[in-house]
Amino acid sequence: MTQTAHGVEFTQQPSATPKSAEERAAILANPGFGNYFTDHTAVVDYKVDEHGNGGWHSARIEAYGPIMLDPSAAVLHYGQEIFEGLKAYRHADGTVWTFRPEANAARLNQSARRLALPELPAEYFLGAIRELVSMDKDWVPSGDGEALYLRPFMIATEAFLGVRAAREVSFRVIASPVGNYFGGEVKPVSIWISRNYARAGRGGTGAAKCGGNYAASLIAQQEAEANGCKQVLFLDQFNDNAVEELGGMNVFFVMKDGSLVTPALTGTILEGVTRSSVIQVAKDMGREVAERKITLDEWRDGVASGDITEVFACGTAAVITPIGVLRDETEFIGAEDAKAGETTMAIREQLLGIQTGKVADKHGWLTRLA
């Protein structure tokens, strides 16, 4: 059977062994984050022919399961892969919506250009998530803070050894029912300062959403966890210890005059969809937002003087998370007993309200999937 989504035909090959309603209910009762996956996956393949012409083909929905790869597949040797992250939310009337998928489609192509992968037409991206969610709509949870996390990704599948861009590629989407990223109650988290490691360098892949950036951050993340912190902060040590981002989230500062400051995009920082949404939501609330360089010294001095009243991190997985303490062996900025700030929580409530259909979507950010 074929279905047409956004002008692209997707062949449907339903799973022969889907989870039963009882199995699915047990999973949805306590999904955690990224632990379980739905019954199906969306796939679109790409190949360059003997004349050097490339094209996307074989769009389909098929059973979730292992990917068959040749041991010499380029992704395994040269790391040619990119990914995205977005969520599908069940609204009160039972319909299912996602948030700003066009921005994710555009960022995927920005990453593709940097990693020498083929760009994916937006209609394939949007069609893939629509068809997958439509097929697995019963997997979308409805609890507070819960959603269906969508993970589109692109990998180089061509079998060869040699340093060049692959001529065979696969784009896929998988889906996972999730709860709150840092657990139930929203409370400030502790962040570890990375002094020895960098997430990305100038001219590198910092602005792309690729696995290599996250692999490079894991040793610093392990250091953070060993010291009782939830996340790690990366600095630009060659630029006055300018604040960059966390291992997987952007950072915002609330100033005493009510304005917000976030590090300017420099090519080493990922342009988060949630980041840009927070900027717009804050402006809608009448707050000024500055994108500029902010250093570790300014963070320390601003908290001490009261010029900085709140700090929070944002990203698709956790949405908005208040930061209570920033520390390492020599620094301790903030307070262990810090409470979530009023501005942080007001922006979080507004943004989540739009995503879940409780607040009017005046920017046209929502797209119905099922």
Side-chain angles (χ1 to χ4, degrees):
M1 181 172 63
T2 60
Q3 295 287 331
T4 302
H6 291 276
V8 177
E9 284 193 354
F10 279 77
T11 300
Q12 292 187 350
Q13 304 166 14
S15 171
T17 58
K19 291 284 192 300
S20 68
E22 293 75 15
E23 290 174 309
R24 188 172 59 247
I27 291 171
L28 294 181
N30 184 25
F33 199 99
N35 298 324
Y36 304 97
F37 298 90
T38 68
D39 296 311
H40 298 92
T41 180
V43 187
V44 190
D45 295 321
Y46 176 92
K47 187 173 184 177
V48 176
D49 64 21
E50 64 273 17
H51 304 294
N53 300 313
W56 292 96
H57 63 92
S58 304
R60 62 196 184 275
I61 303 295
E62 62 185 30
Y64 180 94
I67 299 173
M68 295 295 290
L69 284 176
D70 191 283
S72 67
V75 66
L76 302 176
H77 301 271
Y78 308 110
Q80 211 183 355
E81 72 80 50
I82 55 176
F83 67 96
E84 274 298 321
L86 64 164
K87 288 178 175 177
Y89 298 87
R90 188 175 297 281
H91 288 192
D93 63 358
T95 57
V96 179
W97 300 71
T98 192
F99 181 75
R100 302 191 67 186
E102 298 86 359
N104 291 97
R107 190 173 64 178
L108 182 88
N109 282 334
Q110 177 179 311
S111 298
R113 289 190 291 273
R114 182 62 184 83
L115 272 293
L117 286 162
E119 293 187 39
L120 180 78
E123 58 265 28
Y124 280 99
F125 184 97
L126 298 170
I129 63 172
R130 184 187 296 276
E131 286 300 296
L132 178 59
V133 173
S134 180
M135 180 78 89
D136 286 344
K137 59 182 178 294
D138 290 340
W139 282 90
V140 184
S142 57
D144 184 39
E146 295 180 341
L148 185 68
Y149 185 82
L150 304 173
R151 169 51 57 86
F153 62 101
M154 190 187 295
I155 59 174
T157 54
E158 185 184 359
F160 76 101
L161 296 180
V163 183
R164 62 164 172 80
R167 300 186 182 110
E168 294 178 16
V169 170
S170 183
F171 169 75
R172 294 169 177 261
V173 185
I174 57 177
S176 172
V178 298
N180 289 304
Y181 190 72
F182 290 119
E185 182 183 355
V186 178
K187 53 186 179 181
V189 296
S190 296
I191 306 297
W192 184 257
I193 305 169
S194 178
R195 300 283 190 177
N196 302 315
Y197 305 106
R199 173 185 164 274
R202 299 191 181 209
T205 58
K209 196 168 178 66
C210 62
N213 292 344
Y214 293 82
S217 76
L218 295 180
I219 189 169
Q221 180 65 30
Q222 287 180 329
E223 189 177 77
E225 292 170 356
N227 286 278
C229 294
K230 292 286 190 181
Q231 268 280 352
V232 61
L233 172 74
F234 291 101
L235 304 171
D236 184 345
Q237 298 180 36
F238 304 101
N239 185 25
D240 303 321
N241 278 332
V243 173
E244 295 228 302
E245 64 174 276
L246 305 188
M249 306 175 77
N250 296 113
V251 184
F252 278 83
F253 300 84
V254 181
M255 315 306 282
K256 68 178 181 182
D257 63 0
S259 66
L260 271 65
V261 173
T262 192
L265 299 175
T266 60
T268 58
I269 298 173
L270 183 68
E271 185 177 356
V273 175
T274 306
R275 175 188 181 277
S276 64
S277 304
V278 167
I279 290 172
Q280 185 60 60
V281 166
K283 289 179 177 178
D284 291 346
M285 298 169 72
R287 298 179 183 273
E288 293 185 3
V289 183
E291 298 179 68
R292 63 169 175 82
K293 173 180 170 181
I294 182 166
T295 65
L296 181 62
D297 286 344
E298 184 178 353
W299 189 337
R300 180 195 311 110
D301 297 343
V303 170
S305 67
D307 287 339
I308 295 175
T309 59
E310 303 172 32
V311 187
F312 65 86
C314 69
T316 298
V319 188
I320 290 177
T321 298
I323 296 174
V325 171
L326 177 70
R327 67 184 185 87
D328 64 3
E329 294 95 338
T330 60
E331 291 275 9
F332 191 95
I333 303 171
E336 292 279 14
D337 60 351
K339 300 290 189 292
E342 289 185 8
T343 298
T344 298
M345 296 307 290
I347 294 174
R348 185 179 193 276
E349 182 178 351
Q350 183 75 3
L351 186 57
L352 269 175
I354 295 170
Q355 293 171 338
T356 57
K358 298 175 183 177
V359 172
D361 171 28
K362 65 180 183 180
H363 295 291
W365 284 340
L366 297 179
T367 295
R368 184 173 175 177
L369 299 179

